[in-house]
Amino acid sequence: MGKIVEGNKVAAKVAEIIVAGSVVIELVSKWNERRKLKAAASVETGAGNATEIPLTR
């Protein structure tokens, strides 16, 4: 009986680590989506200015 309880504790800890990892992955993906949206918005606003100000290199 002691081995079953010990095995359940280990399984619970492993499941907790997996859930925590998936939460971190979700947060990072949401952060990336927001960053991409902000970058796309800045590109759209910058595109109108590109015709007015020529790029010199």
Side-chain angles (χ1 to χ4, degrees), residues 28-48:
V28 169
S29 67
K30 285 183 181 180
W31 178 76
N32 278 334
E33 288 174 9
R34 288 182 185 162
R35 191 178 60 134
K36 287 178 184 177
L37 288 175
K38 286 182 182 179
S42 67
V43 167
E44 288 176 7
T45 58

Side-chain angles (χ1 to χ4, degrees), residues 9-57:
K9 287 181 181 179
V10 170
K13 288 181 182 181
V14 168
E16 187 176 348
I17 291 170
I18 291 171
V19 169
S22 66
V23 168
V24 169
I25 290 171
E26 286 292 324
L27 289 174
V28 169
S29 67
K30 285 183 181 180
W31 178 76
N32 278 334
E33 288 174 9
R34 288 182 185 162
R35 191 178 60 134
K36 287 178 184 177
L37 288 175
K38 286 182 182 179
S42 67
V43 167
E44 288 176 7
T45 58
N49 295 336
T51 57
E52 297 172 10
I53 303 170
L55 296 175
T56 57
R57 291 185 185 200

